[in-house]
Structures are given as C-alpha cells and as structure tokens.
Amino acid sequence: MTSNSVESKGYFGEFGGSYIPENLQKVMDVLEEQFLKYKDDPRFLAEYQYYLKEYIGRENPLTYAKNLTEQIGGAKIYLKREDLNHTGAHKINNAIGQILLAKKMGAKRVIAETGAGQHGVATATACAMFGLECVIYMGKVDTERQALNVFRMELLGAKVVAVDKGQGRLKEAVDEALNDLVQNYENTFYLLGSAVGPHPYPTMVKHFQAVISEESKRQILEKEGKLPTAIVACAGGGSNAIGSFAHYIDEPNVRLIGCEPAEAPSISEGVPAVIHGFKCLTLLDEEGNPKPTFSIAAGLDYPGVGPEHSYLKVSGRGEYVTVTGQEALDAFQLLSKTEGIIPALESSHAVAHAIKLAKELSRDDVIVVTLSGRGDKDVEQVFHMLQK
Ligand SMILES: *Cc1c(COP(=O)(O)O)cnc(C)c1O
C-alpha cells in the first residue's frame, strides 16, 4: 500500500485522498486527467445535458408538500423529486455522467460492484443505453437475497458475477471488481456508485450529482424568492446528499443537514480511518475493522461515508443527525398518505428528520428535502415489517 503520490489532490481536510496499491494508482491518475479534461468541456456537457433531459427526464420538479406542511404546522416543506427520474432514483445521474466519460476514454467494458443491486441496475441501464459490455460483481449471498435484481440486470444485458469468497458480500465484490480493473484497465471503466472511494471518484460523483442542487436552487428562488432555511438529505455513501448540498455550500445562511441511519451512524460516531482506498469517518469494531451495520434501507448500510461529508462535519459547515428505522418507517407511511408519494426507505430517513425540523421552525422557513428515490422497491419489505 502506498499513500497518495500527489499530496493535496482529492483531500477535504484530512479526509479523502487515495490509499491504494501503485498499479491501481496509475489507473486513477489517468482517470483524473481525463475527468479534468472533459468535465467542463462544452461538447461533453451538452451531451450530458441531452441525456439528463431526454433519457432521465430532467429537470424533475420541486414539489411543495402542502398537505404534509399543513398537517405539521411549521416550516414549508418542498420535495426535490429524484424519485421521478428514469429508474426511480438519483443514481442514474452519476451513471450516465461516468458512462459518457468512459466512452470518451475509449472503454469497451464497464464494471461495477453492487450490494443490494440498486447501483448494479443503474449501471446496467446506462450500459444498455450506450451499447457497452457490462459486468456487475455481487457477493454470492447478496445474489441469493436479491434474485430479482440479478434478473433485472441480466434483462438489461449485464453479466452478473456472483463472488463466492469470504462472506460473499459487498466487500468481496469490491475486491473482485478492483482485481478486474487492474488487469483490464486498458479497455475497462470502473463505474463507482457513490461519493466514496479513492480520488477522483468522490469529486467526480459530486460533479455529476450537483445537478440536484443546481436545479433546486433555481426552482426555490422562482417559487419562494429566497433561499431555503435548510437542505435535508439522507446519506449512505453520501452522493445524493453532496449533490443536494453542492450549490449551497457557499451560502452560509443555508443549513446543510445529512441524515444517517441510527443503525449505521458513521458520521455521528465514526473515527477517521482508511477504508476502500480513502480516509473518512468510519465505524470500527474492537479489532479496527469496518463494523458490520444494519439499516432497514440497504442503500444506507455502509460503515463509512464520503470524505467531503466527513470534512463538512468536522468543520461545522454541515449538520448530521441520526434517524431510526422506526422513524423512517413512520415517515414512509405518512408521506404516502398525505401526498400520494411513496418514498424509498433511504429517502424516508430524510423525510422523518424534515418533519421534526419543520415543527421547530416557523411558517416563514423553507425546508428542501431530497427524495432520493421512490419506494416501489421497498413496498414488499415494508409489508412484511408491518405484519410483525
Ligand atoms: C443508493 C441510494 C441511496 C444512498 O446512496 P447515497 O450515495 O448516500 O446517495 C439513497 N437513496 C436511494 C434511493 C438509493 O438508491
């Protein structure tokens, strides 16, 4: 293991960086160079904008949750509707952005890891759209638990490799995907799904998710004539949250609030440590290994978090709170009943906190909550939970 060859690159305070073997570092250096070359290129951006509009269906609305607001009787609650994107969540914004970069770099194959399958499905979707070979690494245990998502990826033309090593979970899937990348980097692109991993991934994923706050800022100024009091988003790895915060970070009067599950509180209770090639606030067990977590929302079940969130937390610019699975489950039902919108269980964590916060604020305050995804995928799980 070597530490970063080029210091200061991709650091947010002490967090981030790149703690990976030398052969992988070479691949990351090329990726960074290509990302910097294209990220503000007008032709590249025009293409990205085209697919955001014509394929994903952006811009999506910023919906005033009138019934919910009136029932709570505090601040006005607006919902940023990532749930209305094609494939039903924010992940596709990033998948399309990275695929366009992969095409520019001449890649013929795209690989990714997936845990519950959400990122695997987004990647397989984008690969089908762009006619690229797609290989998804998934722990064997996860392939058995998420058989329907495996089928969905296969339907989209991807090859799903069940990794039968170690515990057969996400960690082993990541290891296999990295092995593949080191061997095949000349024609292969590794599409990472959240604002985590070694530099340049956290910066790149933020770049492609920043469209969330670019739109919401314009939309709230149109609707309210002022900036919101607070932005509220859930944080697993932290990609929808950092995209929701991006255009407000330099607005000191806007509170930035990340919501993590009380069952996986990496930001609230973690310590600085290196996992998966970067440094962040991490939950560790007594032996110093990443601690297994359990959230009812698969997308939030991660013992670390993106480096920029770690920095926003220690610098005091961001506020991070925990929400229990039960509170999320209550919010899931309340938003469904009051607004006719079934939120993803991940997003329900943000909704739950927004409800608490709205009660503490006044009618003049405005809260923008990111609905990172829709809850159709969770209905069966919630059905079983409510039977108990
Ligand atoms: C994957 C996922 C998340 C968590 O990922 P982040 O990188 O933290 O945004 C949240 N919500 C939904 C709907 C997801 O699919």
Side-chain angles (χ1 to χ4, degrees):
M1 292 277 180
T2 63
S3 92
N4 197 341
S5 53
V6 197
E7 293 297 338
S8 91
K9 262 201 320 202
Y11 278 92
F12 304 87
E14 69 169 300
F15 302 106
S18 169
Y19 299 82
I20 51 180
E22 221 160 315
N23 50 0
L24 200 53
Q25 186 59 50
K26 289 197 187 110
V27 183
M28 292 302 119
D29 289 344
V30 173
L31 180 60
E32 183 198 30
E33 179 197 303
Q34 297 291 306
F35 170 63
L36 292 177
K37 177 173 163 194
Y38 287 111
K39 79 182 187 55
D40 300 315
D41 176 88
R43 281 176 57 198
F44 181 83
L45 282 176
E47 232 182 312
Y48 176 56
Q49 299 293 343
Y50 173 85
Y51 288 102
L52 288 182
K53 178 164 183 275
E54 301 294 334
Y55 192 63
I56 300 179
R58 304 197 78 97
E59 81 177 32
N60 59 40
L62 181 69
T63 307
Y64 173 40
K66 186 166 181 288
N67 301 332
L68 181 65
T69 297
E70 283 172 1
Q71 181 164 332
I72 292 164
K76 268 182 150 173
I77 299 175
Y78 280 87
L79 307 171
K80 183 57 181 154
R81 304 292 304 278
E82 297 302 308
D83 61 312
L84 294 179
N85 295 343
H86 175 48
T87 67
H90 68 291
K91 284 195 174 73
I92 192 79
N93 303 327
N94 170 56
I96 293 285
Q98 285 194 44
I99 287 260
L100 287 171
L101 183 61
K103 296 268 289 187
K104 293 281 182 212
M105 291 172 68
K108 299 281 179 283
R109 283 173 87 229
V110 167
I111 60 172
E113 84 298 335
T114 198
Q118 287 147 256
H119 175 53
V121 170
T123 304
T125 301
C127 286
M129 170 71 201
F130 287 95
L132 286 168
E133 186 187 338
C134 181
V135 178
I136 304 292
Y137 288 94
M138 193 167 181
K140 184 153 187 294
V141 174
D142 290 332
T143 60
E144 286 156 8
R145 294 202 306 191
Q146 299 287 340
L148 211 56
N149 268 341
V150 173
F151 176 64
R152 202 169 272 144
M153 289 182 261
E154 288 170 349
L155 202 55
L156 292 160
K159 182 178 163 205
V160 179
V161 178
V163 180
D164 193 9
K165 288 185 183 160
Q167 303 200 303
R169 302 292 307 276
L170 182 63
K171 182 186 175 299
E172 289 80 17
V174 172
D175 291 344
E176 282 301 292
L178 288 175
N179 272 342
D180 181 324
L181 181 64
V182 166
Q183 281 166 33
N184 301 302
Y185 65 91
E186 279 174 6
N187 70 355
T188 298
F189 187 96
Y190 187 171
L191 206 159
L192 216 122
S194 189
V196 297
H199 180 67
Y201 282 107
T203 299
M204 189 157 75
V205 173
K206 178 189 183 185
H207 182 76
F208 292 129
Q209 291 292 0
V211 63
I212 300 173
S213 50
E214 186 197 318
E215 288 178 6
S216 80
K217 197 173 186 181
R218 187 181 343 110
Q219 291 169 315
I220 201 68
L221 285 171
E222 264 166 33
K223 287 172 198 281
E224 290 287 334
K226 63 180 181 190
L227 292 175
T229 311
I231 307 293
V232 179
C234 65
S239 70
N240 89 84
I242 205 68
S244 302
F245 294 172
H247 287 268
Y248 300 98
I249 290 177
D250 293 331
E251 303 282 359
N253 294 327
V254 179
R255 293 170 63 182
L256 307 176
I257 307 178
C259 307
E260 43 178 13
E263 299 79 12
S266 22
I267 312 179
S268 309
E269 292 175 20
V271 294
V274 171
I275 55 164
H276 301 149
F278 70 107
K279 194 170 185 182
C280 68
L281 292 173
T282 310
L283 293 168
L284 299 177
D285 65 16
E286 294 86 53
E287 275 131 58
N289 297 314
K291 202 170 171 173
T293 54
F294 183 76
S295 167
I296 60 165
L300 302 183
D301 215 1
Y302 184 58
V305 69
E308 193 167 359
H309 289 294
S310 304
Y311 177 68
L312 289 172
K313 157 80 181 182
V314 302
S315 70
R317 177 66 188 93
E319 301 168 45
Y320 292 87
V321 299
T322 59
V323 173
T324 65
Q326 184 60 51
E327 290 170 319
L329 197 55
D330 293 344
F332 178 95
Q333 296 169 81
L334 184 61
L335 193 70
S336 301
K337 286 208 176 76
T338 54
E339 299 291 339
I341 298 172
I342 303 178
L345 277 174
E346 290 84 359
S347 323
S348 301
H349 286 72
V351 175
H353 184 70
I355 290 170
K356 265 191 236 172
L357 182 65
K359 288 180 191 159
E360 295 163 11
L361 298 175
S362 82
R363 278 169 206 280
D364 297 331
D365 288 303
V366 171
I367 301 172
V368 171
V369 192
T370 301
L371 276 198
S372 54
R374 57 175 170 248
D376 306 40
K377 68 179 178 60
D378 300 317
V379 168
E380 194 184 342
Q381 184 190 342
V382 171
F383 172 74
H384 291 297
M385 287 190 295
L386 294 179
Q387 299 291 300
K388 286 184 188 158

